[in-house]
Amino acid sequence: MSIIDLLREDLRDFAGYRSARTDACDGEIWLNANESAQPSAADGDGSLRRYPEPQPAPLRAALARLYGCREDQVLAGRGSDEGIDLLLRALCPPGAGAALVTTPTFGMYAVCARLHGTRLVDVPLVDGPGGHACDFDTVAAVAEREDARLVFLCSPGNPGGNLLPLPAIATLAQRLRERAVVVVDEAYLEYAGAPSAVELIGAHHNIAVLRTLSKAHALAAARIGCVIADAALIDALRRCQAPYPLARPCVEAALAALQPAARAATRDRVEQAVAERERMQAALAELPGVRRVYRSRANFVLVRFEQAQAAFERLIGAGIVVRDMRATPGLGDALRISIGTPAQNTVVLAALGATPAGAPVGPRNEALA
Ligand SMILES: *Cc1c(COP(=O)(O)O)cnc(C)c1O
């Protein structure tokens, strides 16, 4: 059985759009793509006149080096968000099959599934003393029973910050190898200092890893992320992707961010964020009115409050915007706080430390608490 057998049957012979860049040709005078013959006045060096390479070789090479895979195992796209969408479209037949998520988790899996008309099944994470844990046996059983074609795992998890064990991911992929692709979203892995599921893709053709330059590499506006998987799956995803997904200025920014000096600076930023995360976790846990601080391996912390509305208002009053998680089932008293600069984090602690016990309680959804 090859990974191709997991693709949507109606797309197996789909070639996708043949763009002006699909067929490699040599020539001096390029008149095949209806581009303007002269650059825009807004385009100083004239580099924007032509359609970009769909998958620039230098970017693919840099990403392969960064993530430790082969170049034909990487598909670069507009953030890992695009990877989520492509996986759904390539693997889930419209109106059939399902995608499995483990809530609380990143909202885009459900959004993309909904847009594609894919049924979503949920095997909630187990909120235990060690934080959120994935019940892998139940995930496997439910994926089999519900005909899930995709299983979305997030490690470290958003919003819980929990890391998933690679051996359990490998066992799950092995059990589902004839029926589903296991997606491991590692948007925050740099902050965990842990090995990547990329090391499993050689032995497991049905594991796809999502990585992004949006978080640790500080390039969220450039919209560059990637899928790393079996080369045949990458090839199939590329055929489902837009003809020219990567804007040239964004590719240039990504290449610059992956030069050695910039990578060293990234490592320093990550190190500082990790140190600050540890400081914040310890300090938040000491504050009055804090019920629980989840142990995080990412660049945010999930915090439960006695009075989350009051805490939220305190923070807003100090000009600090955090992510309100209270609409999420099981997190009716929680806020997710990203790790900022050391000075910003200190302001957060001061704002929360000033919360008097017994401050007025705002509206709370007890059913969700
Ligand atoms: C932020 C985030 C992403 C990043 O998405 P991009 O489209 O690459 O910016 C992916 N997954 C999770 C879980 C995230 O929190």
Side-chain angles (χ1 to χ4, degrees), residues 78-81 106 109 154 158 185 187-188 212 214-215 223 225:
R78 289 160 288 186
S80 28
D81 287 348
F106 187 47
Y109 315 137
C154 190
N158 177 5
D185 186 341
Y188 302 97
T212 180
S214 294
K215 304 289 166 43
R223 309 304 305 128

Side-chain angles (χ1 to χ4, degrees), residues 128-151:
H132 290 100
C134 180
D135 177 354
F136 284 94
D137 286 339
T138 305
V139 167
V142 171
E144 286 169 353
R145 191 184 73 214
E146 301 289 334
D147 190 24
R149 309 295 173 87
L150 273 174
V151 173

Side-chain angles (χ1 to χ4, degrees), residues 57-332:
L59 180 64
R60 254 186 152 176
L63 292 171
R65 263 197 313 279
L66 179 67
Y67 297 128
C69 63
R70 292 201 320 262
E71 289 170 33
D72 62 0
Q73 295 172 321
V74 188
L75 181 77
R78 289 160 288 186
S80 28
D81 287 348
E82 184 176 29
I84 295 164
D85 194 49
L86 288 173
L87 285 159
L88 269 158
R89 287 198 278 158
L91 290 155
C92 296
L100 189 150
V101 294
T102 62
T103 61
T105 192
F106 187 47
M108 279 306 286
Y109 315 137
V111 167
C112 292
R114 174 98 185 259
L115 283 169
H116 186 59
T118 299
R119 194 164 47 91
L120 201 66
V121 293
D122 183 13
V123 177
L125 296 173
V126 180
D127 188 359
H132 290 100
C134 180
D135 177 354
F136 284 94
D137 286 339
T138 305
V139 167
V142 171
E144 286 169 353
R145 191 184 73 214
E146 301 289 334
D147 190 24
R149 309 295 173 87
L150 273 174
V151 173
F152 286 104
L153 302 177
C154 190
S155 181
N158 177 5
N162 55 296
L163 197 68
L164 301 175
L166 291 188
I169 294 171
T171 303
L172 176 69
Q174 183 64 33
R175 180 159 162 196
L176 298 178
R177 63 187 290 112
E178 311 257 300
R179 51 171 70 239
V181 168
V182 176
V183 181
V184 188
D185 186 341
E186 297 184 335
Y188 302 97
L189 192 73
E190 291 87 348
Y191 302 101
S196 167
V198 166
E199 65 183 48
L200 304 176
I201 65 178
H204 300 275
H205 69 186
N206 62 329
I207 290 181
V209 179
L210 299 173
R211 302 292 305 251
T212 180
L213 301 187
S214 294
K215 304 289 166 43
H217 293 273
L219 287 186
R223 309 304 305 128
I224 304 277
C226 61
V227 184
I228 302 165
D230 185 280
L233 178 57
I234 291 300
D235 197 48
L237 295 177
R238 172 62 201 134
R239 284 183 266 120
C240 298
Q241 198 179 26
Y244 309 105
L246 303 167
R248 188 170 170 150
C250 299
V251 170
E252 282 166 7
L255 286 172
L258 299 180
Q259 296 300 311
R263 279 184 65 178
T266 296
R267 279 191 292 274
D268 290 346
R269 279 196 312 276
V270 167
E271 206 174 292
Q272 181 182 71
V274 168
E276 283 293 297
R277 175 189 74 206
E278 299 303 309
R279 174 170 85 94
M280 288 296 280
Q281 287 182 149
L284 286 163
E286 294 299 312
L287 290 181
V290 168
R291 276 202 183 124
R292 176 163 184 195
V293 180
Y294 286 83
R295 172 97 190 82
S296 171
R297 302 292 297 271
N299 68 336
F300 51 80
V301 278
L302 182 66
V303 186
R304 289 184 182 276
F305 291 89
E306 310 270 338
Q307 290 164 353
Q309 178 66 26
F312 192 73
E313 283 169 6
R314 281 269 161 186
L315 290 165
I316 287 285
I320 301 159
V321 185
V322 301
R323 187 65 172 257
D324 187 354
M325 300 306 301
R326 288 175 294 161
T328 305
L331 295 178

Side-chain angles (χ1 to χ4, degrees), residues 16-32:
Y17 178 73
R18 293 199 75 76
S19 78
R21 294 273 176 277
T22 309
D23 303 301
C25 297
D26 258 339
E28 301 272 299
I29 302 172
W30 287 82
L31 300 176
N32 67 336

